[in-house]
Amino acid sequence: MSGFQPEKIRVDFPTLSRRVRDRRLVYLDNAASTLKPRPVIDRMTRYYEDEVSNVHRGAHYLAEQGTIAYEAARAKVAAFIGAASPAEVVFTRGTTESINLVAQTYGRANLNAGDEILVSELEHHSNIVPWQMIAGERGARVRAIPVTDSGEIDFAAYSRLLSTRTRLVAISWCSNALGTVTDVKAFVDAAHAVGARVVVDAAQAIQHLETDVQALDCDFLAFSGHKVYGPYGIGVLYGRAELLEAMPPYQGGGSMISEVAFEKTTYAPIPQKFEAGTPSISAAIGLGSAIDYVNALGLGNIEAHERGLLEAATRALRSVPGLRIIGDSPRKAAIVSFVFDGIHPSDIGSLVDQEGIAIRAGHHCAQPLMRRLGVPATARASFSVYNSLEDVEALRSALVKAKEFF
Ligand code: PMP
C-alpha cells in the first residue's frame, strides 16, 4: 500500500471524525454508499450559495453559471468513463433509474414475443426486476445465467444460453453481494456475436476499476453517484450515441422537447431527450467534484490500496473460528461477504455496531444469488480509500468477540 496514505485521505471525510457509540467510526459499508469528501460537500454548498438557478432555461447570469457547471459535470463523467462524447451521458437518479430507462425505452421499442433477455443470477434486484417487467409486457423471456460455486457468472453456461433469440444481456461488472469482478469484455463480445446488446451494471465497479466504455464495447452502462464519493439522487446512464438517438424518450415534459404542438411534438437531441424536467443540478455538480477527487487520487492507486485491504481482510476473517467467506473468485473488488456458524448475519451486524463498526447484513438486494448459494443472508464488509489495516484488525477482533458472545 506504498505511496497511498489512508490517514491523510481520512481527513478529507468529515464523517470519519465523528464518534459512533463512543468509539472511532470504522466505516465498512462502502458498497452501500461511500462517505463524502469535503470538496464534494463544499462544491454543492457553493452551488447553493452562489450559483443556484435552474439549468438550460434562464436568460440570466446565474442560470448561465449553473448550466455551465452542470454541463461541465457531464463532460467530466464522459471523460471518466471514456465515452466518445458528453452526449452519451444521461443524468438519472441512479443505477436503478438508468436500468429502468433502458428497459422502458430500448426494451419496449425492441423486444418482441419470443425474444430473450439474459440476466445473471448474481444481479442486484435493480438489474432483474426492470427486465421482468418489460419482458412481461412484451412477451419476451428473462433467462438466468447461472453462477458457479465460487460466485462467478458461469461463462460456459452463458455461451450455451446465447442464441439469435437473445436481444439483451444484463450483467454486473462487480457483484455488490460478493465482490466478484466479471470479465465484462468477454461477455460483451459473445453477446455481440449473436447480435445482442449489453447493459453493464457498474454500480460496484465505477469506484474501484478504470472504466473505458469504448474498450469494454458495451452498449449501455449504469452507475450511481453515491457509491463513488458523490451525492445521492444522481446517477448516470451511458449509451452508445446511435442507440440513444434511435430510442424513444423515457419521460415527457420540459427540457426534453424540441417543439411542442398538439398536432406533433418533436424531441430534443440526446442527452436532453432523456432528461425531462428539472434535473438534480447540485448533485450532478457534486458528482463532477467526486470525479475530480477520484482522478486526483488515481484509480490505479485506489485499486492497489483496496487490493491490499481485500487480501488482509480475507486472511484476517479466515482466521476467525466458525466464519465462512462466501464467494472466492480470484477476481474480486474489496468486498468480503461471510456467514458464521450459528449466528444470524443481522446479529453479527448489531454486535460489531456496538464497537463502532458499520457493516451490512442481509440479502443485499440479491435474493436469487442468496438462494443459489444456499444462504438466507450474509454479513458484508466493503472497503474504500480511507480504510486501513487498523480497520481490518478492528473488524477481526470484533468478530472474534461476537463469536464468543454466542
Ligand atoms: N446494482 C448494484 C450492483 C448495486 O450495488 C446497487 C446498489 N446497492 C444498485 C444496482 C442500485 O443502485 P441505486 O440504489 O443507487 O440505484
Side-chain angles (χ1 to χ4, degrees):
M1 278 183 259
S2 60
F4 200 89
Q5 294 169 288
E7 284 314 314
K8 283 208 173 136
I9 293 169
R10 282 181 71 83
V11 178
D12 291 338
F13 291 80
T15 315
L16 288 173
S17 65
R18 66 162 298 175
R19 291 183 69 77
V20 166
R21 306 201 187 283
D22 209 24
R23 287 162 197 272
R24 167 181 174 273
L25 169 64
V26 177
Y27 187 77
L28 300 179
D29 195 17
N30 293 289
S33 276
T34 57
L35 302 176
K36 317 303 168 199
R38 175 60 69 197
V40 170
I41 300 167
D42 287 352
R43 182 65 190 88
M44 291 174 72
T45 305
R46 181 150 67 85
Y47 166 76
Y48 277 117
E49 286 180 353
D50 292 346
E51 296 163 346
V52 74
S53 62
N54 212 323
V55 291
H56 298 142
R57 291 164 196 211
H60 56 86
Y61 179 79
L62 287 181
E64 191 182 291
Q65 292 303 104
T67 304
I68 289 171
Y70 181 72
E71 290 305 325
R74 193 192 308 278
K76 285 179 193 180
V77 171
F80 188 62
I81 64 173
S85 137
E88 297 185 319
V89 171
V90 177
F91 282 127
T92 63
R93 280 194 303 121
T95 309
T96 304
E97 187 172 54
S98 297
I99 295 171
N100 276 279
L101 190 161
V102 180
Q104 293 296 318
T105 60
Y106 185 87
R108 183 167 294 119
N110 291 285
L111 290 168
N112 293 301
D115 287 346
E116 293 182 353
I117 307 166
L118 303 188
V119 175
S120 98
E121 250 178 351
L122 63 64
E123 299 310 310
H124 188 281
H125 296 163
S126 63
N127 204 20
I128 300 175
V129 185
W131 303 118
Q132 291 176 321
M133 289 164 63
I134 195 65
E137 191 184 309
R138 302 294 308 156
R141 177 175 176 211
V142 174
R143 300 191 70 188
I145 313 167
V147 162
T148 64
D149 290 342
S150 61
E152 294 170 326
I153 309 177
D154 186 335
F155 189 80
Y158 167 67
S159 306
R160 286 192 296 273
L161 282 168
L162 278 172
S163 76
T164 50
R165 286 186 302 276
T166 316
R167 306 273 21 106
L168 272 167
V169 173
I171 49 163
S172 284
W173 192 349
C174 174
S175 153
N176 65 311
L178 307 180
T180 313
V181 174
T182 296
D183 180 1
V184 166
K185 177 74 168 77
F187 281 74
V188 169
D189 289 347
H192 285 172
V194 298
R197 299 291 181 186
V198 182
V199 182
V200 177
D201 175 349
Q204 297 292 342
I206 195 80
Q207 64 283 54
H208 303 299
L209 306 168
E210 299 242 12
T211 302
D212 182 339
V213 289
Q214 292 185 71
L216 286 177
D217 202 25
C218 58
D219 301 294
F220 300 98
L221 179 137
F223 70 91
S224 301
H226 69 96
K227 293 182 199 275
V228 59
Y229 314 103
Y232 293 101
I234 189 77
V236 167
L237 171 68
Y238 157 81
R240 244 184 238 284
E242 69 266 26
L243 295 177
L244 292 178
E245 271 156 10
M247 276 153 60
Y250 179 42
Q251 296 177 328
S255 296
M256 53 75 73
I257 52 87
S258 171
E259 197 156 337
V260 177
F262 282 102
E263 297 71 35
K264 182 177 165 58
T265 288
T266 51
Y267 305 124
I270 62 167
Q272 270 73 36
K273 183 171 76 174
F274 297 104
E275 293 183 11
T278 300
S280 213
I281 305 164
S282 61
I285 294 171
L287 175 59
S289 286
I291 286 173
D292 289 341
Y293 188 81
V294 170
N295 283 335
L297 292 180
L299 262 169
N301 293 328
I302 293 174
E303 263 189 82
H305 171 68
E306 292 180 344
R307 199 174 325 114
L309 290 172
L310 174 67
E311 283 164 11
T314 305
R315 257 193 323 273
L317 267 56
R318 280 204 182 119
S319 75
V320 177
L323 186 151
R324 183 161 59 96
I325 292 177
I326 306 290
D328 59 356
S329 165
R331 281 206 71 206
K332 275 178 66 172
I335 293 176
V336 187
S337 234
F338 55 95
V339 292
F340 247 138
D341 292 343
I343 317 181
H344 193 274
S346 56
D347 291 331
I348 303 174
S350 307
L351 284 165
V352 303
D353 176 52
Q354 296 308 309
E355 310 282 323
I357 302 173
I359 62 167
R360 184 78 147 204
H363 54 61
H364 314 293
C365 299
Q367 287 179 341
L369 178 64
M370 298 289 116
R371 234 169 263 131
R372 159 68 182 89
L373 297 173
V375 288
T378 71
R380 179 190 72 187
S382 49
F383 298 83
S384 187
V385 287
Y386 34 72
N387 293 122
S388 61
L389 295 177
E390 197 186 341
D391 295 339
V392 172
E393 173 49 25
L395 177 64
R396 188 202 63 78
S397 94
L399 290 171
V400 169
K401 222 163 132 183
K403 179 69 182 160
E404 283 161 4
F405 183 86
F406 270 83

